[in-house]
Amino acid sequence: MLSRPPWIRIPEADRRAIGFLWDDARGLEQRDHAAPVSEALLQGLSPRAALALAVAVHEWIVWRFEGLESRADPLLVLQAGWCATVDPRYLAYCELRRTAWVGPIAGPLWCAYTWLQRGLTQARQFSGDLHDSIRVLVRLARHVMPAGAGFDAWLEAIGPRLLAHSPPPVLDPADDLFDDELAERLGPLVGPSVLNPMAVPDPVGDRAFLEQQFADARAQANPLLATPKALVDAGFFGVPYVVPRC
């Protein structure tokens, strides 16, 4: 199972204090009005880097509530989300029942999952939907994060790293109308080393991390990991659950 990344360090007292307003009837209308994530960053990222950024921002929201939510769903979402950075088709469609996720802890987790799933499942055809999801996830993270958590500093630091590591590939979409070469069109793999401002990018370690997410998701029968049949129905051909060399 996933563990909290080293760059997310929120003091225990701050994490357990709910210092933000939350009303389930209003939901994301309450998000703050801070400047959204840079448009230059979103437009300059490869599809895979944008997928990883969405998962990483969602990761901040999940670990912000560490120890305050006992259900396994948030970590299962993260696990499947990392698998979907390899190929968005790996994320199975699944709804979390809204009425079961209410309040200032479960409510934000439900909203984060809903927007993450929307962005990742639409990413192949509609990059704008993925970018919209990242914008909302960033605003949601800023809303629920304790002061001094370091989220904004992290976001500012990893932007240049993502741009340098995984710029958008120069490809003609007409050359691969049926996603036969999707891995090549998404850009280089992105893992924790790229998202850690204090680390040297480690492609070998990142690949091993992603392989471990697939192994764990299958061993735990993660319901958010698409089945082989669902993958075929989505147009996926080849050996599933294998991290490509890209």
Side-chain angles (χ1 to χ4, degrees), residues 13-54:
D14 291 343
R15 192 170 46 74
R16 291 190 169 275
I18 304 300
F20 57 88
L21 297 176
W22 188 263
D23 179 349
D24 287 299
R26 295 174 60 201
L28 288 175
E29 293 179 10
Q30 303 162 98
R31 62 189 186 271
D32 64 44
H33 298 288
V37 63
S38 163
E39 289 302 310
L41 172 62
L42 292 178
Q43 298 302 324
L45 294 177
S46 71
R48 186 170 276 121
L51 290 165
L53 178 58

Side-chain angles (χ1 to χ4, degrees), residues 59-242:
E59 199 165 38
W60 271 88
I61 298 169
V62 169
W63 292 109
R64 182 263 177 268
F65 295 112
E66 181 182 8
L68 304 180
E69 171 56 58
S70 61
R71 287 173 285 193
D73 301 76
L75 289 182
L76 292 174
V77 169
L78 275 184
Q79 188 180 70
W82 276 115
C83 294
T85 68
V86 174
D87 187 319
R89 290 172 291 194
Y90 281 123
L91 183 64
Y93 181 79
C94 181
E95 292 186 5
L96 298 182
R97 190 159 53 90
R98 182 68 181 96
T99 55
W101 292 82
V102 297
I105 296 169
L109 288 170
W110 181 87
C111 287
Y113 165 72
T114 299
W115 280 93
L116 181 72
Q117 184 179 70
R118 177 180 182 271
L120 268 56
T121 55
Q122 296 295 313
R124 281 192 302 142
Q125 286 86 15
F126 307 106
S127 61
D129 285 352
L130 175 58
H131 292 172
D132 283 345
S133 291
I134 292 172
R135 294 184 189 100
V136 174
L137 288 167
V138 166
R139 288 191 180 277
L140 179 58
R142 284 173 169 154
H143 183 74
V144 303
M145 215 60 65
F151 173 76
D152 280 355
W154 168 82
L155 187 62
E156 183 177 356
I158 60 106
R161 293 172 66 92
L162 286 169
L163 289 171
H165 177 79
S166 192
V170 181
L171 297 170
D172 183 349
D175 291 339
D176 186 28
L177 294 176
F178 301 103
D179 288 341
D180 293 329
E181 299 176 357
L182 182 62
E184 289 78 4
R185 293 195 291 109
L186 291 178
L189 295 171
V190 177
S193 76
V194 181
L195 298 164
N196 185 350
M198 304 303 294
V200 175
D202 177 13
V204 174
D206 286 345
R207 180 183 173 82
F209 168 82
L210 293 169
E211 289 173 339
Q212 189 63 54
Q213 301 320 304
F214 278 109
D216 290 348
R218 297 181 70 189
Q220 297 161 13
N222 188 331
L224 289 163
L225 181 68
T227 64
K229 181 182 183 305
L231 288 171
V232 171
D233 291 343
F236 182 100
F237 297 99
V239 181
Y241 317 126
V242 173

